[in-house]
Amino acid sequence: MYKTGDVVLGGLFEVHYSSVLPELTFISEPHQQSCHGFDPLGFRHAMTMAFAIDEINNNSSLLPNVTLGYSLYDNCATLGIGFSAALSLANSQEEQSLLQQNCLGTPPVLGIVGDPFSTFSIATSNVLGLFKLPIVSYFATCSCLSDRQRFPSFFRTIPSDAFQVRAMIQILKHFGWTWVGLLVSDDDYGLHVSRSFQSDLTQSGGGCLAYSEILPWGNDPNEYKRIVDVMSKSTARVVIVFAHQAHMIQLMEEVVRKNVTDLQWIASEAWTLVDGLHTLAFMPYLSGTLGIAIRRGKIPGLRDFLLKMNPKQHNNDYKYSMVRINQFWEYIFDCRFAPPPLGWVENGRALCTGDENLENIDTVEFLDVSELRPEYNIYKAVYALAYALDDMLECVPGRGPFSGQSCATLQTLEPWQLMYYLEKVNFTTSFGDQVSFDENGDALPIYDIMNWWWLPDGRTKVQNVGLVKKSASKGEDLILDEDKIFWNFEFKEPPKSTCSESCPPGTRIARKRGQPVCCFDCIPCSEGKISNETDSSECTNCPEDYWSNPQRDLCVPKETEFLSYHEPLGICLTSASLLGTFICAVVLGIFIYYRSTPVVRANNSELSFLILVSLKLCFLCSLLFIGRPRLWTCQLRHAAFGISFVLCVSCILVKTIVVLAVFKASKPGGGASLKWFGGVQQRGTVVALTSIQAAICSSWILSASPAPHKNTQYHNDKIVYECVVGSTIGFAALLGYIGLLAILSFLLAFLARNLPDTFNEAKLITFSMLIFCAVWVAFVPAYVNSPGKYADAVEVFAILASSFGLLIALFGPKCYIILLRPERNTKKAVMNRGITKT
């Protein structure tokens, strides 16, 4: 089909779907004779290009004063014929070519719309790309055609399979389908998809292929039987098919034969809208199919243009070299144009008159313009070439992009010059879609998402349920209306298709050896580690002060452990401490009240008061070991404990020395011994001995101060707050000094145990020191082997036990006499006891 113009554009369409291969020739006329099987939709594709060019010629704002023409060819769905047609367009073998004798002027075509097949486009672009002749395909989707090194002049208004693959991967991710099967046709279309799908799926982390099979061309039932066996045995419930109608028919026949159900089919754009699969046999299996479809568009005026077609009018207006309008007319009205005799009828077919009306016959397939998809791409391809030519003609001489800043002109225009502008074209269609080409010649991709509905009356409805597009600014965007999707499953919900169930938070993925990455086990996170996401590849450690919860999906603050006032052990020790303090206060009150009695005054009552005060401090200092350790409590607890006990033991030591001195003074010539150990010396000795301990504590605190410490060594899930001693030597010196004084007191009291009863306080001191030393000897191993708060509890217990031992042993008998046996609390009674015993 040819129409003259100032600039001629070529077109390649599938108007017939089969052929008998003729001998290779670049002459166009014999091609028609070898083609058969008229395709009305393919013819509508060709007429869409004719309509677009007529519309542009009638548009005063686009290409004013320039008339576009066209030269349209039928490829007959045959590579040899399509390739021959493309070379015919490029080599000016048309009888309508209007080249001048000096070879100036436009070539026969400056751009070609087509070819619809990827394999055909690869063949023609390999050759025509050498001459930089722009080819804008409306249906070739092979991602290999984006290779600018091999195909420098190839453009397309349909998204490449690379984007279709990414669109499908987005659908898989949206529904959580990570375990899928892939079926592809045995051609460039399918094999390139297979490679890109596997690599993109792996890179995106969106899932794995349970199997990948190639659907053969031709009749190969054994191979289809094997493929369906693979599908039926696989646990994958989602099947993606990049193939053509012929493959799907053979595949579905075997699926029906083996009754393979409960599969979710995902269709490529090659068969999403194929009516030949909407049969009563196939639809129980294919209903619910999700498919990728070419973007639907609107072309105002196309239907009116198609209705105006008439053999009489077109034979007058156009020159046909391949496909005549008569063939279309014969197909639509089931008649035949024939030579006389008049009324001749063949095989029951009436004679065509040319006066038939298209509106009076059921021609829905041809005249239905509600689902314009390939036609919309053809429409955009023609307009892209027109806008590129318009941009080129608006070039200002001296500011052009070519050599010497020159511009191209219609008289000297070459295809590569038009290709320069085509690469930069950018416009918006009346339907609102932006059209431009990236560095690979691909248009901004956009697909409709379709869903197959099997209606109760047996009809099939293919409904638009969303779209996927890629814009220059926002990237890929998937929009789905899930409420519109029909699911062919029992619960009318999306199926689950996973090799392994997702690992919930609190677990991690453990790959199964020798299997795809989508097949794994879920291993719970170990203690102290968490995973708070689904399908985590590893568990993360909790921060130092945190620990994993039982579900291993959240880090929670570790439990803290210290000797608390609120726990039973702390309450008991606190009560005992306060009780001891109270008893000391009571005893001190009794001694103060009965300070003039012989029992109180015997053996230096002042030292008895000091011992009671120091014991009270010993009881109170134990409270510093209870509660959360602070710096001041850590520093004060051992200092207070050490100084209080040294004060107490030093008083007892002085008391013991006084007993010995008094006994020695009672002997003849021994009165001088008390002279050198009077009250002043006794107080001085206590102060001196206590000052030594104070010096030890000060040196310890200043050199290596005790400090609070968070210990995580005892328990991984707990923080044990404790006071580290800072200096072991300081702590040992403190205890050692107390022990030295206690042992010395014990030895002296032991030596004085057999003195007369008047001075029998030595026995009480001996017994009290025995208790004291026993407690603290037992304390050392118990303290070393007690972890955390129990070490503090052991130390508090030792303090309380030794304090109670001293309190009871030293003051218990005296309080008994004072309160219960007052008759013995006289000087005479005390002296008489001594005489009686003697």
Side-chain angles (χ1 to χ4, degrees):
M1 183 184 297
Y2 184 84
K3 180 179 181 179
T4 60
D6 300 324
V7 176
V8 178
L9 302 179
L12 294 171
F13 303 94
E14 180 198 356
V15 182
H16 294 83
Y17 51 80
S18 62
S19 67
V20 178
L21 287 177
E23 296 182 1
L24 289 179
T25 173
F26 294 125
I27 306 300
S28 59
E29 286 295 334
H31 293 185
Q32 181 179 351
Q33 299 173 2
S34 63
C35 299
H36 60 87
F38 185 77
D39 183 0
L41 293 182
F43 182 70
R44 187 171 75 174
H45 295 167
M47 298 309 298
T48 299
M49 180 171 177
F51 166 77
I53 289 179
D54 281 359
E55 187 179 68
I56 292 170
N57 289 336
N58 293 327
N59 188 346
S60 59
S61 61
L62 182 61
L63 291 175
N65 303 320
V66 175
T67 301
L68 292 180
Y70 52 78
S71 180
L72 311 182
Y73 273 79
D74 181 7
N75 63 23
C76 297
T78 304
L79 177 59
I81 296 177
F83 186 73
S84 173
L87 293 184
S88 297
L89 291 172
N91 285 307
S92 183
Q93 294 296 322
E94 294 290 340
E95 58 182 280
Q96 293 90 350
S97 299
L98 302 177
L99 295 179
Q100 300 176 4
Q101 293 182 352
N102 58 2
C103 292
L104 296 177
T106 61
V109 294
L110 286 176
I112 297 176
V113 176
D115 192 291
F117 296 103
S118 293
T119 300
F120 296 8
S121 295
I122 292 172
T124 56
S125 297
N126 267 326
V127 176
L128 301 186
L130 300 174
F131 307 100
K132 302 296 178 65
L133 178 65
I135 300 175
V136 186
S137 177
Y138 59 92
F139 213 71
T141 61
C142 181
S143 58
C144 59
L145 288 164
S146 297
D147 186 350
R148 226 50 186 157
Q149 298 295 323
R150 288 185 59 192
F151 313 108
S153 64
F154 181 81
F155 300 82
R156 54 183 158 195
T157 53
I158 186 173
S160 75
D161 287 334
F163 180 77
Q164 185 175 188
V165 165
R166 293 196 296 271
M168 286 193 174
I169 291 176
Q170 284 191 345
I171 295 175
L172 297 181
K173 285 185 174 181
H174 181 82
F175 292 107
W177 296 330
T178 58
W179 189 236
V180 299
L182 177 65
L183 305 178
V184 299
S185 57
D186 189 11
D187 52 18
D188 290 318
Y189 170 70
L191 297 179
H192 278 89
V193 162
S194 178
R195 287 193 291 269
S196 63
F197 192 93
Q198 294 187 54
S199 61
D200 288 359
L201 189 64
T202 301
Q203 292 175 5
S204 69
C208 308
L209 290 180
Y211 54 86
S212 178
E213 299 291 342
I214 298 176
L215 302 176
W217 284 97
N219 187 18
D220 191 349
N222 290 332
E223 181 64 11
Y224 278 98
K225 182 178 179 181
R226 184 193 67 80
I227 292 173
V228 174
D229 283 340
V230 172
M231 295 168 55
S232 62
K233 294 176 181 177
S234 174
T235 56
R237 300 185 64 189
V238 175
V239 183
I240 301 172
V241 185
F242 284 86
H244 306 283
Q245 179 179 358
H247 299 98
M248 285 301 301
I249 290 175
Q250 294 187 70
L251 177 67
M252 291 310 301
E253 287 174 349
E254 188 63 29
V255 168
V256 173
R257 187 177 298 112
K258 293 196 173 182
N259 194 29
V260 182
T261 59
D262 290 334
L263 292 179
Q264 175 63 49
W265 297 85
I266 299 184
S268 70
E269 97 305 325
W271 63 279
T272 294
L273 301 175
V274 172
D275 295 336
L277 296 172
H278 300 166
T279 66
L280 293 177
F282 293 166
M283 283 309 296
Y285 303 87
L286 289 177
S287 61
T289 294
L290 287 174
I292 300 290
I294 301 170
R295 173 70 165 166
R296 182 185 69 86
K298 292 183 180 179
I299 306 178
L302 177 60
R303 190 174 189 276
D304 294 337
F305 178 82
L306 297 176
L307 286 172
K308 291 178 182 178
M309 285 193 305
N310 185 280
K312 295 181 180 179
Q313 177 183 358
H314 279 71
N315 282 326
N316 294 332
D317 294 348
Y318 300 99
K319 171 71 177 180
Y320 292 87
S321 60
M322 184 174 66
V323 179
R324 301 179 183 276
I325 192 69
N326 293 12
Q327 288 182 294
F328 164 72
W329 210 256
E330 289 175 345
Y331 177 87
I332 292 295
F333 293 102
D334 194 23
C335 62
R336 181 175 179 81
F337 287 98
L342 185 65
W344 175 80
V345 177
E346 179 184 8
N347 297 329
R349 297 173 65 185
L351 187 67
C352 298
T353 64
D355 295 326
E356 292 85 358
N357 190 341
L358 289 173
E359 291 186 301
N360 294 335
I361 196 169
D362 185 12
T363 56
V364 174
E365 184 181 29
F366 182 78
L367 294 176
D368 181 12
V369 295
S370 62
E371 293 289 330
L372 297 177
R373 298 182 186 275
E375 294 84 356
Y376 188 48
N377 284 342
I378 295 168
Y379 186 77
K380 291 190 290 186
V382 174
Y383 266 85
L385 289 168
Y387 272 102
L389 184 62
D390 187 64
D391 292 342
M392 184 193 71
L393 296 180
E394 290 182 357
C395 176
V396 178
R399 298 181 182 177
F402 306 121
S403 176
Q405 296 184 332
S406 62
C407 297
T409 62
L410 282 179
Q411 291 72 27
T412 61
L413 180 60
E414 296 186 23
W416 64 268
Q417 293 174 315
L418 181 62
M419 192 183 80
Y420 171 84
Y421 285 96
L422 187 60
E423 291 174 340
K424 303 180 182 304
V425 76
N426 192 336
F427 66 95
T428 302
T429 68
S430 57
F431 194 58
D433 290 333
Q434 183 183 1
V435 179
S436 63
F437 300 102
D438 62 15
E439 64 276 7
N440 297 319
D442 295 325
L444 289 175
I446 183 170
Y447 274 120
D448 287 335
I449 309 297
M450 312 301 292
N451 181 227
W452 289 19
W453 283 63
W454 194 27
L455 303 178
D457 59 5
R459 293 184 300 110
T460 299
K461 177 183 178 182
V462 181
Q463 177 167 290
N464 189 325
V465 294
L467 60 87
V468 58
K469 62 181 179 179
K470 182 178 181 181
S471 61
S473 58
K474 296 182 179 179
E476 297 174 7
D477 187 19
L478 173 66
I479 302 173
L480 277 177
D481 188 350
E482 294 190 42
D483 294 336
K484 292 183 178 180
I485 299 178
F486 170 75
W487 301 106
N488 190 25
F489 298 95
E490 180 179 358
F491 298 104
K492 305 304 179 184
E493 294 178 351
K496 289 185 177 181
S497 186
T498 57
C499 181
S500 300
E501 292 294 331
S502 295
C503 290
T507 62
R508 65 174 179 85
I509 291 175
R511 308 293 182 193
K512 292 183 178 180
R513 182 174 299 178
Q515 297 191 29
V517 295
C518 296
C519 302
F520 49 79
D521 294 319
C522 297
I523 306 299
C525 293
S526 56
E527 291 185 346
K529 295 184 177 182
I530 66 160
S531 64
N532 53 12
E533 296 179 353
T534 302
D535 291 334
S536 294
S537 58
E538 61 182 13
C539 300
T540 57
N541 289 313
C542 288
E544 182 180 2
D545 293 344
Y546 289 81
W547 194 249
S548 55
N549 63 351
Q551 293 76 28
R552 303 288 195 273
D553 60 357
L554 181 66
C555 286
V556 295
K558 288 182 178 180
E559 293 182 20
T560 57
E561 182 179 281
F562 53 88
L563 191 56
S564 170
Y565 289 106
H566 304 290
E567 61 179 303
L569 181 59
I571 293 173
C572 291
L573 294 176
T574 302
S575 301
S577 174
L578 296 177
L579 177 61
T581 304
F582 175 73
I583 293 173
C584 285
V586 171
V587 173
L588 181 61
I590 293 173
F591 270 53
I592 292 173
Y593 185 79
Y594 294 98
R595 61 184 178 277
S596 59
T597 62
V599 172
V600 176
R601 294 181 60 187
N603 199 359
N604 196 336
S605 61
E606 184 178 347
L607 290 178
S608 297
F609 291 141
L610 279 177
I611 292 173
L612 285 171
V613 171
S614 63
L615 285 175
K616 183 185 291 187
L617 293 177
C618 290
F619 281 116
L620 290 175
C621 76
S622 64
L623 298 177
L624 295 173
F625 291 84
I626 305 174
R628 182 167 178 170
R630 310 287 182 184
L631 178 60
W632 68 273
T633 60
C634 289
Q635 291 176 337
L636 191 58
R637 60 169 59 172
H638 290 108
F641 149 69
I643 294 173
S644 298
F645 265 94
V646 165
L647 177 61
C648 178
V649 175
S650 62
C651 290
I652 295 174
L653 177 60
V654 170
K655 255 183 175 294
T656 306
I657 296 174
V658 169
V659 170
L660 291 174
V662 170
F663 175 71
K664 188 175 181 181
S666 66
K667 294 182 178 182
S673 60
L674 286 177
K675 179 180 179 182
W676 300 103
F677 205 70
V680 176
Q681 287 81 5
Q682 294 173 24
R683 288 189 290 271
T685 302
V686 171
V687 172
L689 293 176
T690 306
S691 298
I692 294 174
Q693 183 73 305
I696 293 174
C697 293
S698 300
S699 301
W700 178 16
I701 292 174
L702 294 176
S703 61
S705 172
H709 173 63
K710 294 188 295 185
N711 193 324
T712 58
Q713 302 300 316
Y714 301 133
H715 307 283
N716 290 328
D717 58 342
K718 291 182 181 179
I719 298 176
V720 178
Y721 285 96
E722 60 184 9
C723 287
V724 291
V725 296
S727 171
T728 305
I729 296 176
F731 188 45
L734 181 143
L735 292 179
Y737 185 64
I738 297 174
L740 177 63
L741 296 180
I743 293 173
L744 184 59
S745 298
F746 173 74
L747 292 176
L748 293 177
F750 182 77
L751 294 175
R753 71 188 186 283
N754 291 323
L755 295 178
D757 284 352
T758 307
F759 312 104
N760 67 354
E761 193 170 12
K763 292 182 180 180
L764 302 179
I765 294 174
T766 302
F767 184 68
S768 65
M769 285 296 101
L770 183 62
I771 296 175
F772 185 87
C773 292
V775 169
W776 287 103
V777 167
F779 159 76
V780 174
Y783 181 83
V784 171
N785 292 288
S786 298
K789 67 178 182 179
Y790 298 104
D792 291 335
V794 167
E795 190 165 359
V796 173
F797 180 80
I799 293 172
L800 295 177
S802 57
S803 298
F804 273 112
L806 292 176
L807 179 62
I808 294 172
L810 292 176
F811 297 98
K814 294 182 179 181
C815 289
Y816 173 77
I817 293 172
I818 294 172
L819 297 177
L820 301 179
R821 301 294 296 274
E823 69 277 5
R824 295 178 57 182
N825 191 11
T826 62
K827 185 174 181 181
K828 181 179 180 180
V830 172
M831 294 303 294
N832 288 339
R833 289 178 60 204
I835 295 170
T836 302
K837 291 283 183 182
T838 302

